[in-house]
Amino acid sequence: MSTHPHTPPHRLPITTAADSSEANTNGITGRSVLAVIGLWLGMSAAVATASWYLSSVLGTSPSTQTVTVLLVFEVYLLFPIAALIVYRPSGLRDRIKLRYTAGRDFGLALLVWVAILAAGTLTYACIGLMAGSIWAPALEVVRNATDMARFPTATPLDWVLILPRALLLAGVTEELLFRGVLYGWLRRHLRPWATILITTALFTVEHYFLVIFPLAIIYGLLVGWLREKTGSVLPGLLVHILTDTLLFVIALALLAHGIPA
């Protein structure tokens, strides 16, 4: 028998596939984050100024609803364009993680969506009971999260701008920004739950209406987990589009039943 003391083997660090994927050298750098956000803001300012000027030249008051809807549409449209310029198509796939992974990930996305709806409904029902009206907070969420106030007076041009913005562009821009660019950059430096918490906080503040905060927190946490689990932005984008579409349809149904905007 050997008299040498037993030397325990060195413990190897536990590294998940998501860890190595997010922290590799092709990840998102702080410089690229500043570049895409700076380009987005610069393009938005330039296009908004041009739109404002053209509306004045054409004799349309810049304060009209159509101009406001147009400006919002342009801001949401320009972020994907800025991301495409900075990261190029290959970067959107490999760095932003805007990529197909597996069919089961979309099944998981549907389960996450149902969980968000269930948790959100229960949360707002509890808030409503404490406030004395079980449905009032949920109605306020629908009003503030959609263009419901603009629906009754919307022109055909307004609808051309409202529909793609509400049903598609909002989801694309917010998922690329929060679960794509910011998530990818933070994940290079932080553990998963720290990244999820920070992006959820930023996502919540971006929605600025206090009544939306509970839903934004629930959504941010669950879709952040989905982003980490699947390694892709696409499943979360599906959840976002489904959520926005449901809120939009509810807003239309409320107006059809005489509920004021």
Side-chain angles (χ1 to χ4, degrees):
M1 253 181 109
S2 171
T3 58
H4 293 288
H6 176 67
T7 303
H10 293 291
R11 292 183 177 272
L12 296 176
I14 299 174
T15 304
T16 65
D19 289 336
S20 59
S21 174
E22 298 293 348
N24 63 30
T25 56
N26 293 323
I28 298 172
T29 64
R31 182 176 297 178
S32 72
V33 173
L34 292 176
V36 71
I37 292 177
L39 180 60
W40 175 41
L41 294 177
M43 292 168 62
S44 297
V47 171
T49 301
S51 298
W52 196 283
Y53 175 75
L54 286 175
S55 67
S56 300
V57 170
L58 295 174
T60 304
S61 172
S63 63
T64 59
Q65 175 172 282
T66 299
V67 175
T68 302
V69 171
L70 174 61
L71 294 178
V72 174
F73 173 87
E74 289 168 346
V75 170
Y76 276 102
L77 176 65
L78 288 171
F79 185 81
I81 295 175
L84 181 61
I85 292 172
V86 172
Y87 295 107
R88 304 185 184 278
S90 61
L92 289 179
R93 182 187 65 247
D94 299 328
R95 300 169 71 182
I96 304 296
K97 309 301 183 185
L98 186 65
R99 61 184 183 180
Y100 175 81
T101 47
R104 63 178 179 273
D105 290 337
F106 291 97
L108 184 60
L110 293 177
L111 292 177
V112 167
W113 183 56
V114 172
I116 291 170
L117 296 182
T121 300
L122 179 60
T123 299
Y124 282 99
C126 292
I127 294 173
L129 286 173
M130 291 186 290
S133 176
I134 189 169
W135 295 114
L139 290 175
E140 284 303 306
V141 169
V142 174
R143 289 190 180 101
N144 291 318
T146 66
D147 281 307
M148 185 175 176
R150 296 190 175 107
F151 291 178
T153 57
T155 66
L157 178 56
D158 292 342
W159 283 111
V160 169
L161 298 170
I162 289 172
L163 284 170
R165 197 279 302 167
L167 302 182
L168 180 63
L169 285 178
V172 170
T173 290
E174 291 178 2
E175 291 307 315
L176 284 179
L177 175 58
F178 293 105
R179 257 69 61 177
V181 173
L182 294 177
Y183 193 100
W185 172 57
L186 290 169
R187 189 66 180 82
R188 294 185 69 194
H189 307 284
L190 302 173
R191 300 298 295 169
W193 281 108
T195 303
I196 292 170
L197 288 173
I198 292 173
T199 52
T200 295
L202 294 172
F203 177 76
T204 300
V205 171
E206 186 259 347
H207 285 82
Y208 59 86
F209 290 110
L210 289 177
V211 72
I212 299 180
F213 279 17
L215 178 59
I217 291 170
I218 293 168
Y219 178 95
L221 292 174
L222 290 178
V223 174
W225 173 85
L226 183 65
R227 165 68 172 83
E228 181 68 26
K229 180 73 174 178
T230 64
S232 173
V233 173
L234 281 181
L237 177 57
L238 173 62
V239 175
H240 205 134
I241 290 173
L242 289 174
T243 303
D244 286 347
T245 300
L246 178 61
L247 290 171
F248 197 86
V249 170
I250 292 174
L252 291 175
L254 291 174
L255 287 175
H257 287 81
I259 305 297

